[in-house]
Amino acid sequence: NKTMMTKDDLEVLVDKLGMDVVVTWLEDIAYEKADHLRCNWQDEHGAKVWDKIAHALCRASAKIWQLKG
């Protein structure tokens, strides 16, 4: 029986760690998912989708770091 994470739980993480860290972690997860699909399932299409998500998160993370100054 898995415990579901809620939006409030995510907000707590953002409050504790910062949005920059959370977005960077999401970026890492997306790259890992792409790698998993490529290596274990030979799913290049799915991997490319996760790569695009990771790139978008990378751009968002860079922007957040800029805003933090």
Side-chain angles (χ1 to χ4, degrees), residues 3-67:
T3 302
M4 297 298 294
M5 181 176 231
T6 67
K7 181 180 167 188
D8 290 338
D9 296 328
L10 185 57
E11 184 177 358
V12 169
L13 278 179
V14 170
D15 289 344
K16 285 184 178 182
L17 303 172
M19 184 64 78
D20 50 337
V21 172
V22 173
V23 173
T24 299
W25 285 0
L26 291 171
E27 175 192 347
D28 291 345
I29 290 167
Y31 279 124
E32 290 167 3
K33 287 192 168 288
D35 186 55
H36 177 79
L37 288 174
R38 242 180 225 105
C39 294
N40 296 298
W41 297 99
Q42 294 72 48
D43 180 0
E44 188 60 29
H45 172 72
K48 284 181 179 180
V49 170
W50 279 107
D51 280 336
K52 288 178 183 178
I53 292 167
H55 290 304
L57 289 165
C58 181
R59 288 188 302 274
S61 177
K63 185 66 175 177
I64 292 166
W65 280 98
Q66 282 179 344
L67 292 171

